[in-house]
Amino acid sequence: MALSRKQKKELKKFKKHAVDVWSEQREVLGHAGKVIGDARDHGVKYANKTVVPRVKGAVDSNVRPAVSSGLAASSHAAAVAQDRWKHDVYPAVASYLSGLDLVNDPKVKKAVKNAKKQGSKVAAKYVPSKKKSGPGVGGVLLIGLGVVALGGIVFAAVQTLRADDELWVADDDADTKA
């Protein structure tokens, strides 16, 4: 199919425009990549200077004292309850039952054994457990920021390398021969 001069001229303008748009898009995406990198760097610096110390300070001044005082109170209460059980309740019940000659009864022995188990289970709940280790709040924030930055880089790369059929105009053999 032969093109008129006017159509060839318009086609040439469209090609030039497409090349210009493509180069502008590459520049914009390159600039966006730099901006994202700078934002990531500034975010890391800000988090290290401001967010991490504030969170650490809040944890040290508010959370740790409350948790440690609660653990101390609960372990003290568990120790007192266990001591009362051993020295006050159990001997009294044992002496009473021995007076009734029920101590030798297998059902009573089983009930006492179950009561000891349950008492130790309840006491074990209030004994402080080992401290868990892992990434703190700052680590989680930095990981999230890294994921967002990586997503931005991937997005910019995909936008740069994608094939937009609408932006490209196919070369004609007739155009190259003329």
Side-chain angles (χ1 to χ4, degrees):
M1 175 178 187
L3 296 174
S4 67
R5 284 186 171 188
K6 185 177 181 181
Q7 289 174 335
K8 286 180 184 179
K9 208 178 204 182
E10 286 180 0
L11 185 61
K12 206 176 209 181
K13 275 190 347 187
F14 285 140
K15 283 183 182 180
K16 185 176 189 256
H17 182 67
V19 169
D20 291 343
V21 168
W22 177 247
S23 65
E24 286 175 6
Q25 185 181 16
R26 283 185 139 181
E27 287 177 25
V28 167
L29 291 175
H31 183 66
K34 289 178 185 176
V35 169
I36 288 173
D38 290 344
R40 183 198 65 225
D41 293 342
H42 288 297
V44 168
K45 287 178 185 176
Y46 180 77
N48 286 337
K49 286 183 181 179
T50 307
V51 176
V52 171
R54 283 186 183 180
V55 170
K56 193 172 185 181
V59 167
D60 288 342
S61 65
N62 297 331
V63 176
R64 283 192 184 167
V67 169
S68 65
S69 67
L71 285 175
S74 63
S75 64
H76 176 70
V80 167
Q82 187 177 18
D83 185 56
R84 296 289 171 139
W85 174 257
K86 278 184 184 176
H87 299 295
D88 296 339
V89 176
Y90 182 70
V93 171
S95 67
Y96 176 74
L97 291 177
S98 68
L100 294 176
D101 199 26
L102 293 175
V103 174
N104 295 330
D105 189 9
K107 291 180 182 177
V108 173
K109 285 184 179 181
K110 187 176 181 180
V112 169
K113 189 175 181 181
N114 286 339
K116 281 184 181 180
K117 277 186 187 177
Q118 294 299 325
S120 63
K121 284 182 183 177
V122 170
K125 285 183 183 178
Y126 296 105
V127 175
S129 62
K130 292 183 181 179
K131 188 177 178 181
K132 295 181 180 179
S133 65
V137 175
V140 171
L141 287 174
L142 288 177
I143 289 170
L145 190 60
V147 167
V148 168
L150 181 63
I153 291 170
V154 168
F155 177 76
V158 166
Q159 290 297 322
T160 301
L161 299 175
R162 73 177 180 169
D164 276 340
D165 293 334
E166 299 167 4
L167 293 177
W168 295 98
V169 178
D171 290 336
D172 255 352
D173 291 335
D175 186 33
T176 57
K177 290 180 183 175

